[in-house]
Amino acid sequence: MSIVISVENLGKKYNLIHQQREPYTALRDVITNGFTSFGKKIISPFIPKSKLARYQSPTSEEFWALKDVSFEVKQGDRIGIIGRNGAGKSTLLKILSRITEPTTGSVRIKGRVASLLEVGTGFHPELTGRENIFLNGAILGMGRAEIKKKFDEIVDFAEIEKFLDTPVKRYSSGMYVRLAFAVAAHLEPEILIVDEVLAVGDAQFQKKCLGKMEDVSAKEGRTVLFVSHNMGAVRSLCSRAILLERGGTAMQGSVSSTIDTYLEGVAIINACDFNLAALPRVGSFGSHLRILRLCFNQGMGIWHGKPLEVEMTFDCRADVFDVSFGVGLCNRDGARVVTIDSDALGKRFNLHGGERGVAKFSLEEFQLAPDTYTLDVGARSGDTFGLEYLSPCGQIFVAPSDVTPSSIVLRESVSGGYRPIARWDISCH
């Protein structure tokens, strides 16, 4: 088969500006800063310009999101792109989608590309679902007759017929994704690029999307590039995988061997005590809250059927309210099997800037089958996605024991796993 994507020595550089900013400013700080600024104006004529510039100018540094990335994709390939947060996956897809230009290297693409990189990509919030279907089709280079031919199929797949003439700004994130994916998959692009957005949809729709992508590739000969932290989805859909690490290509090859290499590299420090301070993270409120450490059973090991205690150390840099904490465990395929969060009991906390605290939770019996699991950790404010999210941030091993566990209260989770009801406590200083 012919090569449709050729990437050679690709690099993308950003200039990061570091400027000191107070996360929270009180009235006394405003008054103090005013006097300080006035004082600097008085003494600045007597300070050498070289020293003055050092204090006035923000510092900058170069950051390579991608460096020396090379690979080829053939027509009809289904390629999984995996790696930790901050590895460069989304930057790579943005370059392939021509959203941003590379700093070094070259990209050659043969065929029409449809991209689904984030919720609502290419949608105008004031337009209805019907109007956005035609808008997206036009962006992809489709004629009106061609779009009308596929219109009913798109609406049926997205399951939004009732809301078709409603402005998409009133859609939920799940409805956004359903419509966006339906448009991208049905308007016959030669290359379909899908980022982690499918994680927003429910389990049934995710399964439907994976089936559609498989049909698009296997039956119609089109190419799919798929980014996901769900290793089960990557394993079931993709024929090859590329592992990115710190902006470079760590491995290319079969799906199984690439995923195994990725999961082997996830473990940090040891199986029960994780230093999270230096890990890349995702959060919708920036640096308001930062999770620094996670410790299971005081670092002494985890056993099936025995008590579980977890301590989560965090640093609160600004006032945040209605905060809930959570820990998730995924099996070897990346499927979530357990979610332990304070929100299961409606337990949320109000935190103040400048505080450091420890969130603790405990279970009388931890009923998880002996095996190795990958670990997610996060915190959110209210019903928003999150203040902080690290996935995956380590591996834990649940050891077998001779204890016969008794019944424990479990609550089914929308994420596909279960939510044990844990006791939560929090202390700050």
Side-chain angles (χ1 to χ4, degrees), residues 158-344:
E159 300 173 3
I160 58 152
E161 185 175 1
K162 189 185 296 184
F163 308 100
L164 194 56
D165 294 308
T166 302
V168 297
K169 67 180 180 182
R170 299 195 177 97
Y171 284 15
S172 68
S173 57
M175 291 167 65
Y176 247 117
V177 167
R178 289 208 300 269
L179 183 58
F181 181 85
V183 171
H186 285 82
L187 292 183
E188 300 184 353
E190 283 82 9
I191 301 168
L192 178 62
I193 297 177
V194 183
D195 205 344
E196 187 63 66
V197 291
L198 293 185
V200 178
D202 55 66
Q204 183 180 355
F205 186 72
Q206 288 181 38
K207 187 176 180 180
K208 191 176 179 180
C209 290
L210 290 173
K212 180 62 180 177
M213 284 191 282
E214 194 165 357
D215 288 345
V216 160
S217 177
K219 296 180 181 178
E220 302 173 29
R222 288 184 264 163
T223 306
V224 177
L225 269 62
F226 180 50
V227 168
S228 180
H229 287 296
N230 186 332
M231 296 300 108
V234 174
R235 225 185 268 268
S236 65
L237 172 69
C238 300
S239 54
R240 282 200 306 127
I242 299 171
L243 172 60
L244 294 182
E245 191 173 290
R246 296 181 181 178
T249 309
M251 182 178 178
Q252 301 183 48
S254 69
V255 174
S256 296
S257 60
T258 307
I259 288 177
D260 289 345
T261 300
Y262 168 56
L263 294 178
E264 286 170 7
V266 167
I268 302 165
I269 301 179
N270 60 49
C272 298
D273 197 341
F274 302 88
N275 179 5
L276 309 178
L279 291 185
R281 52 201 68 219
V282 175
S284 58
F285 294 108
S287 59
H288 282 57
L289 186 143
R290 194 172 181 86
I291 297 172
L292 305 175
R293 181 172 175 261
L294 200 67
C295 183
F296 288 76
N297 285 5
Q298 289 77 48
M300 300 301 292
I302 306 167
W303 296 272
H304 167 72
K306 289 193 174 183
L308 175 72
E309 293 184 354
V310 180
E311 291 188 358
M312 184 188 303
T313 306
F314 62 88
D315 183 10
C316 192
R317 303 180 176 189
D319 291 354
V320 284
F321 304 100
D322 213 17
V323 177
S324 57
F325 294 92
V327 172
L329 300 177
C330 302
N331 63 18
R332 293 174 185 270
D333 287 334
R336 177 69 65 85
V337 291
V338 173
T339 301
I340 307 170
D341 63 354
S342 61
D343 208 24

Side-chain angles (χ1 to χ4, degrees), residues 60-130:
S60 64
E61 66 171 305
E62 292 183 351
F63 171 71
W64 286 88
L66 292 172
K67 198 163 189 179
D68 297 328
V69 174
S70 300
F71 61 89
E72 291 182 342
V73 179
K74 294 181 180 179
Q75 182 182 344
D77 277 354
R78 300 190 299 274
I79 306 296
I81 302 175
I82 61 176
R84 282 165 48 180
N85 292 328
K89 304 184 298 297
S90 295
T91 302
L92 174 60
L93 296 194
K94 286 177 181 177
I95 292 174
L96 296 179
S97 303
R98 298 189 178 96
I99 292 172
T100 186
E101 291 292 322
T103 306
T104 61
S106 63
V107 177
R108 291 191 292 273
I109 298 176
K110 181 182 177 182
R112 187 165 53 201
V113 178
S115 303
L116 189 56
L117 303 184
E118 60 184 38
V119 176
T121 300
F123 281 8
H124 192 293
E126 298 296 337
L127 300 181
T128 65
R130 184 189 304 274

